Amino acid sequence: MEKKQQAQGERWRLLTIGPSHYCEKARWALERGGLSFQEEAHLPPFHAIVNRRFGAGRTRPVLVTPHAVVDDSAAILLFLDPYVEPALRLYPEAPEQREEVIALASDFDKRLGPAVRRWLYFHLLPDGQMVGRLFGISQDRWSQLRWSLFFPMMRAVMRKAMNIRRDKAEKDRERVFAIFDDVAQKLSDGRRYLVGDRLSAADLTFAALVAPAVLAPNYGTFLPPAQEVPAHLRPDLVALQEHPAGRFVLRLYRDERVPSKSPQHQGA
Ligand SMILES: N[C@@H](CCC(=O)N[C@@H](CS)C(=O)NCC(=O)O)C(=O)O
């Protein structure tokens, strides 16, 4: 594969919605690859205005470099690979393995990411304080006051955009558990990674997308300790942590996810 180099002093920006697990995918890949970037987080719905300025679609993450604006997490991982030293690349050279990695990651993106998100937000959105912490809102009085005025509007936008309802959340929960079972089945032959013998985009995508549901230490933004999660949600999160697929994710977060150094900028 071709080799590209990030020029010294070149400005790369990762536009995020702080706690988003799709943004965590991109952040993890950038940090793992040793690439230099600045993260800029915005609250929804303001993120969409900034995206438009860069000609990007509606969602985050968006990677802005002097060479390209890349506005999808899977496309970002593919874009980054040539900039990363070969031993740390996320896509195997062998065509068959590469295809398998792309197919698995794409399935997680389509079916797992939205399910985890809607299920967790259904349970977390009632607690404005908790959501404020997830979004990195400062604890000072003025920030908290502004947040308490703004949050109801943001919550309404999120509920509508993601169609967050109890019946959907229950189906999402079932889907998350079913995909955990599928992944555990794959790992049951003792393999250390989903494809091949080192971390690939399939592992990273699965791990990042479920990290908030297993409260993975080393996640790039704040996740609450288990005892602060709503009591009725806790047993499910503990069950996922103890599930073989959950233990796999916690292992990857422990061994493969260097703690995030990216400074958080919470824009309006
Ligand atoms: N396929 C996209 C999905 C990303 C996505 O859904 N991002 C969410 C945050 S978790 C988002 O930006 N939502 C705001 C919106 O849709 O306006 C990717 O992988 O980057």
Side-chain angles (χ1 to χ4, degrees):
M1 195 208 259
E2 57 174 331
K3 170 88 184 119
K4 292 183 177 172
Q5 196 152 17
Q6 184 181 34
Q8 204 158 27
E10 204 167 74
R11 187 166 182 223
W12 286 24
R13 299 157 76 178
L14 182 68
L15 310 182
T16 63
I17 289 177
S20 153
H21 52 357
Y22 288 103
C23 296
E24 166 70 0
K25 264 177 75 181
R27 186 190 289 121
W28 182 352
L30 279 156
E31 289 179 350
R32 175 179 166 82
L35 297 160
S36 130
F37 71 103
Q38 182 96 22
E39 178 169 344
E40 294 167 33
H42 299 99
L43 297 171
F46 301 113
H47 74 283
I49 300 169
V50 181
N51 278 21
R52 244 177 274 139
R53 253 192 258 149
F54 289 99
R58 217 194 56 194
T59 57
R60 297 287 176 95
V62 177
L63 179 69
V64 180
T65 78
H67 320 286
V69 173
V70 193
D71 63 359
D72 172 80
S73 63
I76 292 173
L77 264 51
L78 279 162
F79 174 87
L80 296 178
D81 230 30
Y83 289 92
V84 173
E85 70 177 79
L88 290 175
R89 287 184 182 163
L90 292 170
Y91 294 90
E93 289 272 358
E96 235 169 73
Q97 280 197 344
R98 188 179 174 87
E99 257 173 51
E100 196 185 346
V101 164
I102 291 176
L104 271 173
S106 155
D107 186 57
F108 294 141
D109 279 338
K110 286 199 187 84
R111 297 193 315 119
L112 178 63
V116 169
R117 179 175 62 191
R118 185 162 53 188
W119 174 45
L120 293 184
Y121 273 137
F122 174 78
H123 292 287
L124 297 175
L125 279 182
D127 182 350
Q129 281 274 336
M130 169 62 79
V131 180
R133 289 167 73 201
L134 293 175
F135 278 82
I137 305 299
S138 315
Q139 289 302 312
D140 68 86
R141 253 180 69 207
W142 289 113
S143 303
Q144 287 296 311
L145 180 64
R146 279 209 314 258
W147 176 248
S148 67
L149 296 173
F150 169 73
F151 175 63
M153 189 276 278
M154 178 178 128
R155 174 163 60 191
V157 168
M158 289 172 76
R159 283 193 168 135
K160 186 149 187 283
M162 288 182 255
N163 204 3
I164 297 180
R165 304 192 326 229
R166 179 177 299 280
D167 57 333
K168 300 261 182 207
E170 274 161 16
K171 288 213 171 68
D172 291 331
R173 172 189 175 279
E174 280 166 26
R175 176 176 288 188
V176 172
F177 274 86
I179 296 176
F180 264 61
D181 289 346
D182 293 345
V183 167
Q185 176 63 36
K186 257 190 181 307
L187 297 171
S188 64
D189 60 7
R191 67 179 77 184
R192 304 266 303 152
Y193 299 97
L194 288 170
V195 181
D197 54 10
R198 65 171 213 231
L199 189 87
S200 76
D203 306 298
L204 186 146
T205 298
F206 178 68
L209 293 184
V210 303
V214 297
L215 305 174
N218 291 344
Y219 192 74
T221 59
F222 167 79
L223 291 177
Q227 64 273 18
E228 291 177 28
V229 166
H232 58 281
L233 181 61
R234 214 174 298 147
D236 277 341
L237 302 197
V238 171
L240 290 178
Q241 288 174 331
E242 289 170 357
H243 191 288
R247 289 205 303 269
F248 169 65
V249 170
L250 292 171
R251 190 197 93 215
L252 295 185
Y253 261 88
R254 188 193 63 218
D255 296 349
E256 310 264 1
R257 176 78 173 99
V258 282
S260 187
K261 283 189 226 81
S262 130
Q264 290 281 304
H265 294 287
Q266 186 66 71

